[in-house]
Amino acid sequence: MVVLYILHHMAQYTTPSTEELSDIVSYYTIGTPLTCEPLSGGFGNSNFKLTTTDGTYLLKICDEKSFEELQIQDTLLEHLREHAYPTVYPTIKKNGDVLHITSKYYVMIFPFLAGSPPEPSPQVLSQIGEALAKLHRISPLDVLPSFPMGMAQIKPFLDDVHTTEFAAHPFVIWLQSELEWIVSELDKPLPTGLLHGDLFLDNTLFDRDQMVAILDFEEGCHDTFLIDVGMTIIGCCYSEEHQLKLESLHSFLDAYNMLRPLTDIEWDSLDCYVYYAAIAIAFWRFRQFNIRYPHTNRGESYQEMMVRATNWQSIN
């Protein structure tokens, strides 16, 4: 018998029924399901800890991505596998496919790795800096899109909300005002390549202070390297109280720079791209949890990024 735990305080977009779960697992050689527990996080997916008679797995229902986008994600993961990059790779179905398609949604299953997101210590950030630099040295893929949470989506969003009740929302007004100065700064010719696109602490896995893997390449893209550097600073170098941890920041930049030295123009543009990363995540969270999924309990989460952006601006 399958036991399906439903934790109602967690914002899940999709929850499989017991029958659906048994059917999904039958396409894999991973035993039969015993329990399926919702996991916190997963802003763009419904994630579950799946325990079967053969082991423990991460079951990911892909709520946001299209079939084509998931195919690109699979191509990226195979590319990373060829370079032995430290991430977690999907479990293969009996027919050799990675993506499972039901009548309602797309599913991917991964091994469930032991570990947890770390504290933003200098030792942790040094390892993250090294891992990010290694990623940026891997050859890019032509099929990858540009940064999916940036200007390509922010500008259409502002056009769309112009005639809605959100036009006068304080966040939308703030976002418009910030774009007035930042757009020209983003036009400088800077080195580009393969990006993670969303490197926050909860997208890393550590066993105590030792890195196990960089997770969730769902926003993998081809764009300016500084987007990733700025995103990692915003996502990994702040305390839970949203205060910048300067020693951790320096450890991250030192480790990154040892493997992939930043150019002079990149150093000059770093402040702008840290701020841009905060704006991009704030935008994504505002749209996600106030317009697309307003019933979730994350409606105010965009404000965290506004705080970090203001904090960064105040010290630079």
Side-chain angles (χ1 to χ4, degrees):
M1 180 180 71
V2 179
V3 179
L4 188 65
Y5 295 101
I6 308 298
L7 305 183
H8 293 287
H9 67 281
M10 293 182 181
Q12 296 294 333
Y13 303 126
T14 303
T15 300
S17 68
T18 299
E19 293 75 18
E20 289 171 337
L21 183 64
S22 295
D23 181 66
I24 290 168
V25 172
S26 71
Y27 289 89
Y28 297 81
T29 55
I30 60 174
T32 56
L34 297 174
T35 62
C36 189
E37 305 170 67
L39 297 172
S40 60
F43 281 6
N45 303 286
S46 302
N47 295 323
F48 299 85
K49 182 180 180 180
L50 170 66
T51 303
T52 75
T53 52
D54 282 2
T56 307
Y57 301 86
L58 171 68
L59 185 148
K60 179 172 293 187
I61 295 179
C62 308
D63 294 296
E64 297 275 307
K65 300 294 185 182
S66 67
F67 177 73
E68 291 75 17
E69 289 171 327
L70 291 169
Q71 283 186 312
I72 292 174
Q73 182 181 328
D74 180 32
T75 300
L76 171 56
L77 288 172
E78 283 304 309
H79 186 58
L80 295 178
R81 192 196 299 268
E82 292 172 3
H83 289 81
Y85 193 75
T87 188
V88 58
Y89 296 99
T91 301
I92 307 299
K93 292 172 60 179
K94 293 176 182 178
N95 66 358
D97 292 341
V98 166
L99 184 65
H100 180 68
I101 304 172
T102 76
S103 60
K104 299 179 181 179
Y105 43 73
Y106 302 116
V107 178
M108 296 179 77
I109 294 180
F110 297 82
F112 195 93
L113 300 183
S116 60
E119 294 296 319
S121 69
Q123 182 179 350
V124 162
L125 265 298
S126 178
Q127 293 174 73
I128 292 175
E130 181 179 344
L132 186 64
K134 287 180 178 177
L135 177 68
H136 289 174
R137 293 178 59 171
I138 294 175
S139 58
L141 291 171
D142 293 338
V143 297
L144 293 179
S146 59
F147 178 51
M149 291 183 283
M151 289 302 179
Q153 290 196 24
I154 294 175
K155 288 182 177 179
F157 165 78
L158 291 174
D159 291 339
D160 290 342
V161 301
H162 181 66
T163 57
T164 73
E165 70 272 20
F166 289 103
H169 193 284
F171 173 75
V172 173
I173 295 172
W174 176 83
L175 183 61
Q176 289 173 321
S177 68
E178 296 308 304
L179 294 186
E180 290 178 1
W181 70 266
I182 204 170
V183 169
S184 61
E185 294 294 317
L186 300 177
D187 287 338
K188 296 178 181 177
L190 296 170
T192 63
L194 174 60
L195 308 189
H196 180 281
D198 189 25
L199 192 45
F200 274 57
L201 281 177
D202 58 5
N203 280 335
T204 71
L205 194 66
F206 277 71
D207 181 5
R208 297 184 181 180
D209 284 338
Q210 294 301 310
M211 194 181 75
V212 176
I214 301 294
L215 306 175
D216 291 341
F217 277 84
E218 293 156 14
E219 307 303 330
C221 54
H222 184 282
D223 216 310
T224 304
F225 287 132
L226 276 191
I227 293 174
D228 251 2
V229 176
M231 185 72 69
T232 306
I233 292 171
I234 281 294
C236 300
C237 296
Y238 279 77
S239 69
E240 291 185 0
E241 294 76 30
H242 310 299
Q243 295 300 309
L244 180 65
K245 298 176 73 68
L246 283 173
E247 189 177 353
S248 298
L249 168 65
H250 294 153
S251 292
F252 164 68
L253 290 174
D254 288 347
Y256 181 92
N257 207 52
M258 284 288 292
L259 288 182
R260 193 205 151 250
L262 294 172
T263 64
D264 289 343
I265 191 172
E266 284 180 305
W267 282 115
D268 291 341
S269 299
L270 180 59
D271 287 349
C272 171
Y273 274 84
V274 174
Y275 201 75
Y276 177 44
I279 289 174
I281 296 298
F283 148 71
W284 189 91
R285 290 183 180 182
F286 178 83
R287 183 185 62 177
Q288 189 80 349
F289 304 125
N290 291 276
I291 297 176
R292 290 182 170 178
Y293 299 96
H295 60 282
T296 71
N297 60 0
R298 296 166 172 165
E300 304 300 317
S301 63
Y302 69 91
Q303 295 181 6
E304 298 172 356
M305 295 299 104
M306 295 177 68
V307 171
R308 294 191 184 189
T310 301
N311 178 282
W312 178 263
Q313 197 173 43
S314 68
I315 64 174
N316 289 279

